[in-house]
């Protein structure tokens, strides 16, 4: 049962089953070639399906629903708005542990005697079943020493030599802690007799005495591990007492992750924070969505904490959305300090079992899951009493799911979810997205602004370093200008920390032959391989393909290979040469793969064990380090020249956010931005923190060239292994769309990376004017999609729809 059913199907239920089957329960159903799948009950009705006969359900898997009514409504909205199937939404929403596993068991069919008809491989299986009552597929693979065994099993089924059975089992396993208690036969009168009987077994006697001490001191059930520690005895001693019927074992189910801590007093807000809090509460009386535009380090988190406390006083649930798992690491500690064990965390770094426990705690509305802190997937949790949603750093692109479907935006889906719960939603950012700020200016959202940093610390001083001039005057050491090196030295002399930002991981994005100019390419994708020096390998960042670093050019055999461009790994190595006595850390996807990868690096930097932290965009997302006085951006031009209509907006946001990590405590911080074009309008706006100017300029451009927030967009992606087939299909689809939408269709075009995982890609973009009905547009697109997929040659082509693809 690897996945839930991809779309809605009707199944029959008996009258007895109808008595306790409810919406939101899981059932096991047969689908296709006698395969068992997990399905979710979406609706119970009296209408027979058209075109097929309804089968009986195989088994009801739950006693109570695991999904509530509001969730199903919300998932239906995501399915409709983002033009994907309900099955896609279910698959993304439900933790994989809820999708039960099934295992095929092979049994001998009684009465089969025609052994002469069996082939050699079939006879080996049949012979094994004479000695074993049943086999699973893995055992058959081992017996035959073959990877493909299903054709052999099918042949045996046709000969009626075997029968197959599907066995269903839960993936989720609750965590059980072993406890020990005194056997009920030992009343107070018999305790002396017990101790006397253990006079010769000193360790056992010591264990019994330690048990009484633990019970008196803690007045709680006694864990086996605690008893072993307190008595200094081994597991064997406790086991011997159990065998003598002195003790007995029992198990208590516990959560894998618990946050302990006392509820501490919230910090007193300063004048600007208090004013903002009052304005938010007034805005909430008229509008359900409020945008909080506060400069970096203005103390937005403290305002959130006050709003959370007011919801807790009303016994409501709170969802706190964050764009990056790295942020949850820092925020857990802060929220735990205020709200103790009411905080629960939900994101993809948690194991399958841990996520199921959080899901169940939210479903049962337990106090230990009143505040949910999580990435975009926490939007799907079964809230029943939601009072407030906070979307921190609402401008972040990490809130958008790109692949696979559903390609939803967590911020927009959260606004709809809050409306369904009749809750309030607060969007917070120092650099709001153009769309959100435009909605606030139009009066759709409330708008609250904080222009002062906490403690009246000035915003960092931004210095633009012209590296074109520095190269000309030969004042560069590697990728560092003399000015940036001087600023790093000043910070280190003051025992302050430095953050360096380069939005590219690895050592170098291109390895090039100096003789013929050829660079190693990925065999599966249309990109050059990135060099990772630490592992001495070339790696593709699209499909994961990797190979050892070559010493000769694959085209001409020359040994003159050179690297072009630079990533975080190269910066880390250059810093080790420039500052040999300084501890340098790196924070990117390569160093944070483990469950506690973020926690370890952030903890070390906070404890000042790392002096200089080099990182990618992970560093820009709301992290709070009090001792950082300098931020260096090593190359601002890559971001600005990216071929995307949001390149300037995103560059501004990224640079302002990463600059905001400097000087957050007492002293004013410094930011050095290295660029070949210091007079670029966006860099000038970053240096003076002119958000309003950037917003007006970008809005004018968006209106002029028909882009959001004025026009909506739907992107269509076609993928197939055959270049000519996908090309012909894209041309056909382009003509069909142009017939309906005229000049509002862009494409078909070949994207920058035109092949990924051996799939050739073509894209088309549909712009939807302000007065055009979105619903009608989607109906037209779906009609064209159905016609496209009805063409036999186009059927194998993957057709992807992405609504609001930015």
């Amino acid at each position: 049962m690897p996945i839930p059913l991809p779309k809605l199907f009707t199944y029959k239920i008996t009258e007895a089953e109808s008595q306790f089957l409810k919406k939101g329960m899981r059932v096991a159903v047969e689908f296709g070639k006698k395969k068992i799948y997990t399905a979710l009950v979406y609706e119970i009705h009296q209408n027979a399906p058209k075109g097929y006969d309804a089968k009986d359900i195989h088994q009801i898997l739950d006693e109570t629903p695991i999904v509530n009514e509001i969730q199903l409504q919300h998932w239906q909205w995501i399915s409709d708005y983002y033009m994907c199937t309900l099955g896609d939404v279910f698959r993304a929403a439900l933790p994989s542990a809820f999708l039960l596993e099934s295992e095929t068991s092979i049994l001998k069919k009684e009465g089969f005697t025609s052994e002469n008809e069996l082939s050699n491989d079939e006879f080996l299986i049949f012979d094994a079943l004479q000695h074993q009552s049943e086999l699973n597929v893995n055992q058959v693979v081992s017996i035959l020493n073959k990877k493909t065994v299903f054709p052999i099993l099918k042949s045996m089924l046709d000969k009626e030599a075997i029968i197959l059975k599907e066995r269903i089992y839960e993936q989720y396993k609750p965590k059980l802690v072993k406890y020990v208690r005194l056997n009920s036969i030992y009343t107070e009168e018999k305790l002396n007799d017990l101790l006397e009987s253990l006079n010769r077994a000193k360790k056992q006697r010591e264990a019994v005495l330690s048990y009484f001490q633990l019970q008196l001191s803690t007045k709680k059930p006694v864990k086996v591990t605690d008893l072993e520690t307190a008595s200094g005895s081994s597991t064997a001693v406790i086991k011997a007492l159990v065998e003598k019927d002195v003790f007995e074992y029992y198990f208590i189910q516990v959560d894998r992750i618990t946050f302990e801590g006392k509820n501490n007093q919230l910090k007193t807000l300063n004048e600007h924070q208090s004013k903002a809090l009052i304005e938010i509460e007034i805005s909430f009386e008229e509008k359900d969505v409020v945008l909080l535009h506060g400069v970096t380090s203005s103390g937005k988190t403290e305002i959130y904490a006050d709003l959370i406390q007011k919801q807790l006083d009303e016994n409501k649930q709170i969802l706190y959305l964050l764009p990056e798992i790295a942020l949850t690491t820092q925020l857990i500690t802060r929220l735990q300090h205020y709200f103790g064990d009411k905080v629960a965390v939900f994101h993809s770094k948690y194991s399958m079992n841990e996520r199921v426990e959080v899901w169940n705690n939210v479903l049962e509305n337990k106090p230990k899951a009143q505040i949910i802190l999580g990435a975009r997937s926490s939007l799907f949790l079964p809230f029943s009493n939601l009072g407030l949603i906070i979307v921190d750093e609402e401008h972040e692109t990490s809130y958008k799911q790109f692949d696979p479907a559903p390609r939803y935006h967590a911020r927009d889906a959260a606004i709809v979810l809050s409306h369904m719960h009749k809750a309030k939603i607060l969007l917070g950012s120092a650099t709001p997205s153009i769309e959100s700020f435009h909605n606030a200016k139009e009066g759709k959202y409330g708008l609250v602004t904080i222009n002062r940093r906490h403690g009246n610390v000035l915003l960092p001083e931004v210095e633009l370093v012209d590296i074109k001039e520095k190269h000309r005057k030969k004042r560069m050491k590697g990728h560092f200008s003399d000015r940036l090196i001087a600023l790093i030295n000043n910070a280190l002399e003051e025992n302050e920390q430095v953050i360096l930002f380069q939005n590219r991981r690895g050592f170098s994005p291109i390895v090039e032959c100096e003789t013929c100019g050829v660079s190693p390419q990925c065999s599966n994708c249309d990109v050059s391989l990135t060099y990772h020096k630490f592992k001495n390998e070339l790696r593709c960042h699209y499909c994961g393909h990797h190979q050892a670093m070559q010493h000769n050019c694959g085209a001409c055999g020359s040994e003159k290979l050179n690297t072009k461009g630079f990533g975080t790994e190269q910066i880390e190595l250059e810093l080790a040469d420039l500052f040999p006595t300084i501890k340098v850390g790196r924070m990117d996807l390569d160093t944070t793969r483990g469950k506690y990868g973020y926690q370890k690096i952030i903890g070390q930097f906070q404890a000042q064990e790392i002096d200089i932290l080099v990182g990618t965009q992970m560093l820009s997302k709301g992290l709070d380090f009090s001792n950082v006085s300098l931020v260096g951006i090593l190359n601002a031009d890559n971001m600005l020249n990216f071929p995307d209509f949001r390149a300037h907006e995103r560059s501004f946001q990224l640079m302002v956010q990463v600059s905001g990590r400097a000087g957050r405590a007492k002293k004013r911080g410094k930011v050095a931005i290295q660029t070949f074009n210091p007079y670029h309008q966006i860099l000038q706006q970053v240096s003076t923190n002119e958000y309003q100017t950037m917003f007006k300029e970008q809005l004018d451009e968006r209106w002029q060239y028909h882009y959001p927030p004025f026009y909506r967009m739907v992107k269509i992606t076609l993928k197939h292994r055959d270049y000519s087939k996908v090309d012909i299909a894209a041309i056909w689809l382009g003509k069909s769309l142009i017939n309906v939408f005229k000049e509002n269709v862009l494409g078909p075009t070949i994207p920058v990376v035109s092949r990924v995982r051996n799939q050739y890609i073509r894209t088309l973009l549909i712009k939807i004017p302000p007065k055009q009905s979105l619903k009608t547009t989607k109906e037209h697109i779906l009609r064209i999609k159905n016609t496209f997929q009805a063409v036999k040659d186009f059927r194998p082509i993957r057709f992807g729809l992405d609504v609001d693809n930015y």
Side-chain angles (χ1 to χ4, degrees):
M1 289 191 183
I3 56 167
L5 289 188
K7 45 185 151 176
L8 293 174
F9 284 94
T10 300
Y11 282 82
K12 285 190 292 187
I13 55 171
T14 64
E15 199 168 325
E17 287 167 339
S18 68
Q19 298 298 313
F20 54 91
L21 190 66
K22 294 186 180 73
K23 283 171 77 169
M25 282 185 174
R26 291 172 304 159
V27 289
V29 295
E30 195 178 287
F31 183 72
K33 296 179 181 177
K34 293 196 174 180
K35 266 283 182 187
I36 306 292
Y37 286 88
T38 308
L40 200 68
V41 179
Y42 180 69
E43 192 178 5
I44 299 168
H45 60 85
Q46 303 294 325
N47 307 320
K50 292 176 183 176
Y52 64 94
D53 292 326
K55 294 180 182 178
D56 294 321
I57 63 169
H58 192 278
Q59 190 179 338
I60 296 173
L61 302 172
D62 296 310
E63 290 179 12
T64 55
I66 61 160
V67 172
N68 63 40
E69 192 80 38
I70 295 176
Q71 271 180 297
L72 289 172
Q73 286 174 30
H74 188 231
W75 296 357
Q76 183 65 63
W77 177 85
I78 290 173
S79 169
D80 293 341
Y81 185 81
Y82 292 103
M83 300 175 79
C84 60
T85 65
L86 261 173
D88 289 331
V89 185
F90 289 174
R91 203 171 10 237
L94 287 171
S96 56
F98 281 138
L99 312 177
L100 302 192
E101 287 291 348
S102 73
E103 186 176 69
T104 305
S105 296
I106 300 124
L107 293 89
K108 184 180 73 172
K109 187 162 186 180
E110 295 301 325
F112 178 78
T113 53
S114 310
E115 295 177 23
N116 297 334
E117 294 178 16
L118 301 176
S119 68
N120 291 340
D121 285 341
E122 289 168 1
F123 185 79
L124 283 172
I125 298 168
F126 187 78
D127 190 49
L129 286 168
Q130 306 285 8
H131 304 98
Q132 237 173 302
S133 59
E134 63 180 70
L135 298 170
N136 62 38
V137 174
N138 289 333
Q139 288 170 319
V140 173
V141 168
S142 302
I143 291 164
L144 301 181
N145 199 21
K146 288 183 176 179
K147 286 184 180 177
T148 310
V149 296
F150 286 105
I152 299 164
L153 293 175
K154 187 180 183 304
S155 171
M156 291 183 78
L157 269 174
D158 294 341
K159 292 171 185 175
E160 298 188 343
I162 58 168
I163 53 172
L164 301 182
K165 279 191 177 176
E166 290 287 326
R167 299 201 184 279
I168 302 165
Y169 59 92
E170 278 271 15
Q171 290 190 71
Y172 169 64
K173 291 181 177 67
K175 185 181 178 182
L176 300 172
V177 176
K178 193 190 275 189
Y179 284 81
V180 69
R181 63 187 167 210
L182 198 65
N183 199 313
S184 55
I185 60 169
Y186 289 104
T187 55
E188 283 186 30
E189 296 81 34
K190 291 185 179 179
L191 289 179
N192 282 331
D193 297 340
L194 169 63
L195 292 170
E196 281 176 22
S197 68
L198 295 172
N199 275 338
R200 289 186 180 181
K202 287 185 179 177
K203 287 195 173 180
Q204 290 180 14
R205 181 186 166 89
E206 188 63 40
V208 173
L209 289 169
S210 297
Y211 170 79
F212 292 134
Q213 284 174 343
L214 282 170
Q215 259 210 328
L216 286 168
S217 60
T218 61
K219 294 178 181 174
K220 288 178 182 177
V222 177
K223 287 183 192 174
V224 172
T225 49
D226 291 347
L227 181 56
E228 285 171 9
T229 308
S231 62
S233 55
S234 65
T235 310
V237 174
I238 312 297
K239 193 180 176 186
L241 286 165
V242 171
E243 286 168 358
K244 285 182 177 180
D245 288 335
V246 175
F247 284 150
E248 57 186 21
Y249 289 138
Y250 67 105
F251 295 87
I252 294 178
Q253 187 177 331
V254 295
D255 284 351
R256 283 171 170 81
I257 293 174
T258 51
F259 295 107
E260 294 170 2
K262 296 175 182 175
N263 293 25
N264 291 294
Q265 195 71 33
L266 295 177
K267 282 186 183 176
T268 307
L269 301 182
N270 65 24
E271 178 194 340
H272 307 290
Q273 289 170 318
S274 300
K275 186 186 172 196
L277 180 63
I278 292 162
E279 285 177 19
I280 290 167
E281 287 171 339
I282 291 166
S283 294
F284 274 150
E285 288 173 13
E286 295 175 15
K287 293 186 171 67
D288 292 332
V289 187
V290 174
L291 175 65
L292 174 59
H293 178 202
V295 295
T296 54
S297 192
S298 56
K300 293 187 286 292
T301 310
E302 306 306 331
I303 296 171
Y304 301 156
D306 262 62
L307 290 164
I308 289 168
Q309 185 57 60
K310 282 168 184 168
Q311 294 297 323
L312 289 176
D313 293 342
E314 294 176 25
N315 209 26
K316 294 274 189 182
Q317 294 171 314
I318 301 98
L319 173 59
Y320 194 136
L321 283 174
L322 292 161
E324 195 75 58
I325 296 166
L327 270 177
T328 61
T329 305
Q330 261 204 339
L331 207 57
I332 287 165
T333 315
R334 290 174 77 174
L335 292 184
Q336 207 181 321
H337 178 74
Y338 297 142
F339 307 114
D341 59 0
K342 287 185 170 67
V343 181
V345 179
F346 191 87
H347 56 62
S348 58
K349 281 278 197 274
Y350 274 12
S351 73
M352 178 179 70
N353 288 323
E354 288 163 351
R355 277 182 274 174
V356 169
E357 283 166 7
V358 175
W359 182 287
N360 288 334
N361 289 338
V362 174
L363 183 66
E364 292 160 25
N365 203 4
K366 288 185 178 176
K368 58 182 164 188
Q370 260 189 287
I371 305 166
I372 295 293
L373 187 65
R376 61 175 183 255
S377 56
S378 53
L379 194 72
F380 296 114
L381 285 166
F383 297 102
S384 54
N385 191 24
L386 194 61
L388 175 68
I389 301 176
I390 295 165
V391 184
D392 200 12
E393 310 297 346
E394 66 83 28
H395 65 277
E396 273 295 339
T397 50
S398 308
Y399 283 126
K400 171 71 177 170
Q401 163 86 6
F402 289 103
D403 267 315
R407 296 174 181 88
Y408 66 99
H409 197 297
R411 178 196 63 215
D412 300 341
I415 290 169
V416 174
L417 182 67
S418 68
H419 178 71
M420 288 177 174
H421 279 276
K422 296 183 172 54
K424 303 295 180 186
I425 180 165
L426 180 66
L427 313 176
S429 178
T431 51
S433 64
I434 301 275
E435 293 78 30
S436 295
F437 203 71
H438 177 69
N439 283 335
K441 287 284 187 186
E442 291 287 299
K444 290 180 185 175
Y445 302 168
L447 177 62
V448 177
T449 308
I450 311 176
N451 292 320
R452 293 285 186 91
R453 277 187 147 192
H454 192 269
N456 286 328
V457 178
L458 291 171
L459 284 164
E461 178 191 339
V462 179
E463 187 177 328
L464 300 173
V465 180
D466 187 349
I467 50 175
K468 182 170 70 178
E469 192 67 18
K470 297 290 181 187
H471 275 293
R472 192 178 66 79
K473 292 180 179 177
K474 294 185 170 54
R475 290 183 181 172
M476 295 289 290
K477 283 189 180 178
H479 295 96
F480 290 83
S481 61
D482 58 345
R483 179 61 183 148
L484 182 54
I485 292 170
L487 289 169
I488 293 171
N489 274 317
N490 292 344
L492 295 173
E493 281 167 14
E494 298 281 330
N495 289 323
E496 291 162 348
Q497 291 168 293
V498 178
I499 285 177
L500 295 176
F501 173 77
Q502 168 60 8
N503 205 17
R504 182 168 299 211
R505 63 190 173 101
F507 182 85
S508 167
I510 300 168
V511 175
E512 188 178 79
C513 173
E514 290 182 3
T515 308
C516 67
V518 170
S519 58
Q521 300 288 307
C522 174
S523 56
N524 308 318
C525 309
D526 193 18
V527 286
S528 57
L529 295 169
T530 301
Y531 176 41
H532 288 251
K533 193 165 186 175
F534 177 70
K535 290 186 176 178
N536 197 35
E537 68 178 15
L538 296 167
R539 181 175 282 275
C540 174
H541 289 173
Y542 285 84
C543 70
H545 166 79
H546 57 92
Q547 62 190 56
M549 174 62 181
Q550 53 199 52
H551 300 292
N552 304 80
C553 172
C556 71
S558 169
E559 292 183 3
K560 292 181 178 178
L561 298 177
N562 194 13
T563 57
K564 302 276 181 186
F566 63 102
T568 49
E569 200 177 313
Q570 191 167 344
I571 297 304
E572 185 184 22
L573 292 167
E574 282 185 17
L575 284 167
D577 291 337
L578 290 168
F579 307 99
T581 59
I582 295 305
K583 181 83 170 75
V584 179
R586 175 161 58 94
M587 187 173 169
D588 57 26
L589 191 65
D590 298 322
T591 60
T592 56
R593 288 191 189 278
K595 184 174 177 179
Y596 300 106
Y598 295 103
Q599 213 166 315
K600 186 182 173 187
I601 295 166
I602 289 168
Q604 285 177 326
F605 196 60
Q606 223 156 9
Q608 296 179 29
E609 291 171 21
I610 294 171
D611 301 302
I612 303 175
L613 183 61
V614 184
T616 56
Q617 59 180 353
M618 291 177 185
L619 291 174
S620 68
K621 301 178 184 179
L623 295 168
D624 187 11
F625 303 114
S626 57
N627 196 42
V628 173
S629 65
L630 173 67
V631 166
I633 297 172
L634 290 153
N635 187 346
D637 305 308
N638 278 1
M639 296 180 277
L640 289 166
N641 300 324
F642 195 74
D644 188 286
F645 77 94
R646 289 187 69 181
H648 285 182
E649 178 197 353
R650 283 183 181 161
S651 300
F652 179 89
Q653 289 165 343
L654 207 51
M655 285 188 268
V656 168
Q657 288 286 345
V658 81
S659 302
R661 303 314 109 211
R664 293 175 72 91
K666 296 173 185 175
K667 185 180 169 184
R668 188 185 188 189
K670 284 196 172 183
V671 179
I673 300 175
Q674 294 191 156
T675 174
F676 283 96
N677 184 9
Y679 302 104
H680 194 288
Q681 58 181 26
I682 290 291
L683 295 176
Q684 292 294 324
Q685 288 157 6
V686 168
S687 66
T688 52
N689 199 34
E690 284 288 333
Y691 176 82
Q692 295 278 2
T693 311
M694 184 277 297
F695 171 74
K696 283 171 189 168
E697 282 180 9
Q698 291 302 308
L699 208 62
D700 289 344
E701 283 184 17
R702 303 275 179 94
W703 175 252
Q704 189 179 347
Y705 296 108
H706 300 172
Y707 280 104
F710 304 107
Y711 278 60
R712 295 199 173 203
M713 298 201 307
V714 177
K715 183 181 179 183
I716 298 174
T717 308
L718 301 179
K719 292 181 184 179
H720 195 263
R721 297 176 81 88
D722 188 322
Y723 179 89
S724 57
K725 191 174 273 191
V726 79
D727 213 38
I728 293 162
I731 293 164
W732 183 95
L733 184 62
K735 286 176 181 174
S736 302
L737 291 168
I738 288 165
N739 285 340
V740 178
F741 301 113
K742 311 300 179 200
E743 72 279 356
N744 290 320
V745 178
L746 299 181
T749 56
I750 300 172
V752 179
V753 180
S754 61
R755 181 172 62 102
V756 174
R757 292 186 175 90
N758 282 323
Q759 300 265 345
Y760 292 96
I761 305 167
R762 295 291 179 274
T763 58
L764 297 104
L765 195 67
I766 302 162
K767 292 182 178 179
I768 305 167
K771 291 179 182 177
Q772 187 174 309
S773 163
L774 185 63
K775 188 181 176 186
T776 311
T777 305
K778 286 179 181 176
E779 285 169 3
H780 284 308
I781 293 169
L782 287 173
R783 202 174 297 125
I784 292 167
K785 181 189 175 184
N786 292 336
T787 311
F788 176 88
Q789 291 177 333
V791 178
K792 188 183 174 184
D793 288 348
F794 299 162
R795 221 168 281 155
I797 295 170
R798 288 172 64 186
F799 191 112
L801 281 164
D802 191 355
V803 180
D804 300 341
N805 63 298
Y806 43 89

